[in-house]
Amino acid sequence: MVEKWDITIPELSGSETRRAYLYLPDYYNDNTEERYPVLYMFDGHNVFFDSDATYGKSWGMKEFMDQHRVPLIIAAVECNHSPSHGRLKEYSPYSFRDPRFGHIPGWGKITMDWFVHKFKPEIDANVRTLPDRKHTYIAGSSMGGLMSLYGLLEYNQYFSKAAALSPSLWVDPDRLSSLICHARLHPDTTLYMDYGSEEFQNHSNVIRSFGKITQLLLERQIYLSCRIVPGGTHCEASWEQQIPFFMDTFFYERHHQK
């Protein structure tokens, strides 16, 4: 089941409301003693329902979770839809300038501070989570993929695993590279990262950045699952097809202990 409610993020958008989503397994109420890991996701409006999705197609996460009975809670928040590039501002860790968008101030730290200091405590207080770092994950695509990678690295004391689908590495690959080199990482840090083969034509330098970022992550000796998706494109329908891959990365150890 998926619950929806309106929230505000005063630090980012004042009193303007946006939608929050909470997925609980169908069997959540069968055992009132059981607690679950939590996956926090960006672009919450695109995660569950086609009717809420920006382009009429969601990831279909509810159907996947219900079908496979994944023991996981998902908490997701809608992005900022402001026409003045609200999403880019909130989902960029770094300020940057782009010919298409002009100057974009990076509010990613404010966004992540809100997630870990406001949203996560609210979720932990109201549903049966496993609130420790080991059982707290983060995921997103595009700019949300960049934020998931940033969140795993910069906020590693809160998140042990992340899925960064088609991350927007073009924003500031040099500063991201520096973060990877200097982040304080726990030895169990796990990352799933991919990029669609059809996406490379959109940003000529991304394939170089993707290779460099991957190499740096390997040098940090994190658990890395990295893919170039054959025929993969930059859309929710393509990202939906990658759910089994990043879920297997998240739960690989659990599955193979049986």
Side-chain angles (χ1 to χ4, degrees), residues 18-181:
R18 66 181 78 185
R19 192 63 57 90
Y21 298 79
L22 181 68
Y23 170 85
L24 300 175
D26 283 343
Y27 46 87
Y28 177 82
N29 291 321
D30 293 349
N31 181 353
T32 58
E33 299 298 317
E34 188 166 2
R35 293 181 171 272
Y36 299 87
V38 183
L39 170 62
Y40 292 89
M41 294 189 70
F42 297 99
D43 292 310
H45 55 292
N46 290 334
V47 172
F48 298 108
F49 304 112
D50 291 352
S51 57
D52 290 352
T54 302
Y55 302 107
K57 177 68 184 80
S58 72
W59 289 40
M61 285 291 291
K62 180 183 184 302
E63 288 75 15
F64 179 90
M65 301 293 287
D66 288 347
Q67 178 182 351
H68 297 278
R69 296 181 63 83
V70 183
L72 183 69
I73 291 170
I74 301 175
V77 180
E78 185 177 8
C79 77
N80 186 331
H81 296 288
S82 167
S84 61
H85 307 305
R87 180 175 179 272
L88 285 178
K89 295 172 183 176
E90 292 187 3
Y91 285 2
S92 179
Y94 313 113
S95 298
F96 67 95
R97 181 172 293 278
D98 185 273
R100 297 164 295 172
F101 312 120
H103 174 71
I104 300 296
W107 297 347
K109 185 180 187 304
I110 301 173
T111 299
M112 286 305 308
D113 282 346
W114 177 83
F115 261 89
V116 300
H117 297 306
K118 299 287 182 66
F119 191 53
K120 183 181 185 304
E122 178 182 348
I123 299 300
D124 289 336
N126 286 283
V127 292
R128 298 194 312 274
T129 69
L130 291 166
D132 59 307
R133 174 188 172 277
K134 180 179 179 181
H135 297 97
T136 305
Y137 319 145
I138 192 167
S141 61
S142 191
M143 291 297 293
L146 174 63
M147 282 292 287
S148 298
L149 179 55
Y150 168 73
L152 181 70
L153 298 168
E154 185 68 26
Y155 292 77
N156 196 251
Q157 69 269 41
Y158 298 100
F159 301 102
S160 63
K161 300 176 183 179
L165 283 66
S166 305
S168 299
L169 304 178
W170 52 268
V171 167
D172 196 330
D174 290 338
R175 292 185 68 180
L176 181 60
S177 296
S178 179
L179 174 61
I180 294 171
C181 292

